[in-house]
Amino acid sequence: GGGWGWLLSSGTLGRCALVMYLALCAWALFEKLSHVVALLGSVVGIPLAFVLPSLVHLRLCRPAGMSKWLDICAVGLGLGFCLACSAITVATWSQDGAGRRR
């Protein structure tokens, strides 16, 4: 009984590693923290807001007709927003917070 198996099997170690990696990135890129936050918002926030709820609804409720298509459209739009916002953030990485080039 007990042991440390739960640490590996529950994904806790992976989540801890992700948090440590993001903290290290925020520390290393302190002067560009606004860009890091924008990239995190586009990579994590948009899927969390648009994609995951629709996928969960599709999986649990198995909707048909218009409801199914609205979920599929929300997933598609969410992925599109995710890619577009990530591309914009990377493209404007060399600008400061006010939108001026350094």
Side-chain angles (χ1 to χ4, degrees), residues 20-101:
M20 294 302 291
Y21 173 73
L22 293 175
L24 182 65
C25 286
W27 177 74
L29 300 168
F30 178 74
E31 291 188 20
K32 295 194 178 274
L33 191 58
S34 63
H35 295 290
V36 173
V37 170
L39 192 59
L40 282 172
S42 62
V43 171
V44 177
I46 291 175
L48 192 61
F50 289 98
V51 178
L52 257 41
S54 297
L55 289 177
V56 168
H57 185 254
L58 283 169
R59 176 77 178 185
L60 293 179
C61 298
R62 305 235 186 253
M66 183 60 95
S67 182
K68 180 178 181 178
W69 285 108
L70 286 174
D71 282 337
I72 292 170
C73 288
V75 169
L77 284 172
L79 292 175
F81 289 152
C82 180
L83 292 174
C85 291
S86 297
I88 290 170
T89 300
V90 170
T92 60
W93 197 268
S94 63
Q95 297 177 354
D96 64 9
R100 296 181 300 268
R101 291 206 174 269

